[in-house]
Amino acid sequence: MAAPLTTTSYALLGLLVFDSGTESEGLTGYELKQRSDNTLRFYWVSPAMSQIYTELARLERSGMVVATDEVTAGRTTRRYRITTAGSRALTRWLHTATDEFPTLKHPVALRLLMGALMDPDAVDDLLRTYVDALRVRRAELQVVRDMLGDAEEFRFPALVADWGRAYYDAEESITLQLIDRVRRLGR
Amino acid sequence: MAAPLTTTSYALLGLLVFDSGTESEGLTGYELKQRSDNTLRFYWVSPAMSQIYTELARLERSGMVVATDEVTAGRTTRRYRITTAGSRALTRWLHTATDEFPTLKHPVALRLLMGALMDPDAVDDLLRTYVDALRVRRAELQVVRDMLGDAEEFRFPALVADWGRAYYDAEESITLQLIDRVRRLGR
DNA sequence: TGTAGCATGTAAGCCGTTACATGATTGA
DNA sequence: TCAATCATGTAACGGCTTACATGCTACA
């Protein structure tokens, strides 16, 4: 058995397996970065470019992907495709029961925990800034959701995008309630 | 200016500042771990024991905390208290506007993204297991919330605990809807 | 002509985890 | 007496980020 992959590896394999349906030449590291900025970032992380290249090299060494070099006038572009082994490994991982719970690092909640040390205005500011950021995020996700449409092949990504949207909506309404409660506290 | 602290450092300082109000002798690394398991873990992370000791040593070097050794018959216990410098640094950090957005690593959403590669039953399983885990978490947080009560000094932690509870509730109801949608898809 | 985007990588370093190592105290 | 809990640390290492380094291509 090969060394177990990280979740981020599987996420990248997921992007590649989606692409493989379309009979394309594969994806470059650069393109992979763009796709992960579009989708993965909302539910996992969007790895740094350098991390993607490192990961890709590792996946290639373990036979999960194959690369083909396109040499176009002095410049080499590497395109990666998922292999049968890669897609088998991915499917196996998907079917492996897991008890991993989502990890949340919430700097706003963390700060609010110490709200007693803050000016009331600063607390209000903190929460309002967060609501604004949530709206921006929600809008960004909406763009992605619109791109997915209701096409058969994008059913699951669309489902997850709807999930994300509902999550941002819930966060916003909770935060607005908090703003209210904090204001009443202040007086 | 000293080297800037990590968010986790500030989180630990927050635990220490809360304790300092009660005129205690300070907290041991071990106690700090217990407290972070109780609160921080829901909104940030609960660092490993070894990380807490490392962090504490660093905070001491930079004058944010002071340690006193209690030597009790062959055994040494170190208790840490926050210093004035530490609490000033913490307050400054709290008032520093930030645009950090929460980081979410959601293995369930990530897997659902690739739901097309899974057995319908496996997808159902995945989501149901998640709902169960959410309920456990919610119950754990409820215990913490009950401990906080409606005491003046725990107002903000209580507020944040309510936030967490509302978040788990929202996640549960969204996930239940997803289970339904996925089941309809399957037929 | 210059800047934004395409494209690929290496190096240094931090944060944090797991594994390892050790020993005292308390209560069933 | 034995297990759980209290208590403190070191070592090895992995994942990921930022900074650095390089150069082509398309377009305004």
Side-chain angles (χ1 to χ4, degrees):
Chain A
M1 262 289 131
L5 303 176
T6 62
T7 305
T8 300
S9 304
Y10 287 114
L12 291 178
L13 282 180
L15 292 176
L16 287 171
V17 88
F18 253 91
D19 180 72
S20 70
T22 60
E23 290 310 335
S24 81
E25 308 281 299
L27 298 174
T28 66
Y30 194 87
E31 285 166 344
L32 239 18
K33 171 64 176 166
Q34 293 176 321
R35 305 219 176 175
S36 66
D37 281 345
N38 256 322
T39 50
L40 295 185
R41 114 174 119 109
F42 293 104
Y43 322 110
W44 191 251
V45 278
S46 197
M49 284 269 30
S50 63
Q51 173 69 2
I52 287 179
Y53 287 117
T54 309
E55 206 64 72
L56 246 16
R58 190 140 65 91
L59 286 171
E60 194 185 12
R61 276 200 306 279
S62 57
M64 302 290 159
V65 302
V66 276
T68 47
D69 286 347
E70 266 171 34
V71 185
T72 330
R75 180 185 180 171
T76 303
T77 305
R78 308 202 87 194
R79 298 196 163 273
Y80 292 88
R81 271 167 301 120
I82 193 168
T83 61
T84 319
S87 104
R88 253 195 293 109
L90 179 58
T91 308
R92 200 184 322 118
W93 177 74
L94 286 171
H95 285 92
T96 302
T98 175
D99 55 353
E100 297 162 89
F101 198 81
T103 301
L104 182 64
K105 287 190 167 194
H106 205 310
V108 181
L110 183 63
R111 278 175 156 87
L112 187 60
L113 218 39
M114 310 173 219
L117 302 178
M118 296 174 75
D119 294 333
D121 283 354
V123 177
D124 196 75
D125 246 44
L126 174 72
L127 294 176
R128 283 185 198 285
T129 305
Y130 178 47
V131 169
D132 290 344
L134 274 170
R135 288 179 179 153
V136 170
R137 266 276 174 132
R138 202 210 117 111
E140 287 165 358
L141 186 54
Q142 183 63 53
V143 171
V144 175
R145 178 65 190 87
D146 290 341
M147 275 171 23
L148 295 171
D150 56 359
E152 170 95 24
E153 356 139 36
F154 297 136
R155 251 190 207 165
F156 282 97
L159 220 53
V160 179
D162 288 342
W163 187 354
R165 225 173 21 181
Y167 162 64
Y168 289 135
D169 286 343
E171 268 287 276
E172 182 182 333
S173 100
I174 300 168
T175 310
L176 289 173
Q177 281 171 51
L178 282 173
I179 289 173
D180 239 56
R181 285 182 63 188
V182 168
R183 206 178 40 210
R184 273 199 297 273
L185 240 63
R187 275 181 294 105
Chain B
M1 261 294 126
L5 303 176
T6 62
T7 305
T8 300
S9 304
Y10 287 114
L12 290 179
L13 282 180
L15 292 176
L16 288 171
V17 88
F18 253 92
D19 179 73
S20 69
T22 61
E23 289 311 335
S24 81
E25 308 280 298
L27 298 173
T28 66
Y30 194 87
E31 286 165 344
L32 239 17
K33 170 64 175 166
Q34 293 177 320
R35 306 221 175 175
S36 66
D37 281 345
N38 256 321
T39 49
L40 295 184
R41 114 172 120 110
F42 293 104
Y43 322 109
W44 191 250
V45 278
S46 195
M49 284 270 27
S50 64
Q51 172 69 4
I52 288 179
Y53 288 117
T54 310
E55 206 63 73
L56 245 16
R58 192 140 65 91
L59 286 170
E60 195 185 11
R61 276 199 306 278
S62 57
M64 302 291 160
V65 302
V66 276
T68 46
D69 287 346
E70 266 171 33
V71 185
T72 331
R75 181 184 178 174
T76 304
T77 305
R78 308 203 86 193
R79 300 199 162 270
Y80 293 88
R81 271 168 300 120
I82 192 168
T83 61
T84 320
S87 103
R88 253 196 292 110
L90 180 59
T91 307
R92 200 186 321 118
W93 176 74
L94 287 171
H95 285 92
T96 303
T98 175
D99 54 355
E100 298 162 86
F101 198 79
T103 300
L104 183 62
K105 287 190 167 194
H106 205 311
V108 181
L110 183 63
R111 278 176 157 86
L112 187 61
L113 219 39
M114 310 172 218
L117 301 177
M118 296 174 76
D119 294 333
D121 282 354
V123 176
D124 196 74
D125 246 43
L126 174 72
L127 295 176
R128 283 184 198 285
T129 305
Y130 178 48
V131 169
D132 290 343
L134 273 171
R135 287 178 181 155
V136 171
R137 267 274 175 135
R138 203 210 117 112
E140 287 165 358
L141 186 53
Q142 183 63 52
V143 172
V144 175
R145 179 63 189 87
D146 289 342
M147 276 172 21
L148 295 172
D150 55 359
E152 171 96 22
E153 355 139 37
F154 298 136
R155 251 190 207 163
F156 282 97
L159 221 53
V160 179
D162 289 341
W163 186 354
R165 225 175 18 181
Y167 161 65
Y168 289 134
D169 287 342
E171 268 288 275
E172 182 183 333
S173 100
I174 300 168
T175 310
L176 288 174
Q177 281 173 50
L178 283 173
I179 289 174
D180 239 57
R181 285 183 63 188
V182 168
R183 204 178 39 210
R184 273 200 296 275
L185 241 63
R187 274 181 295 106

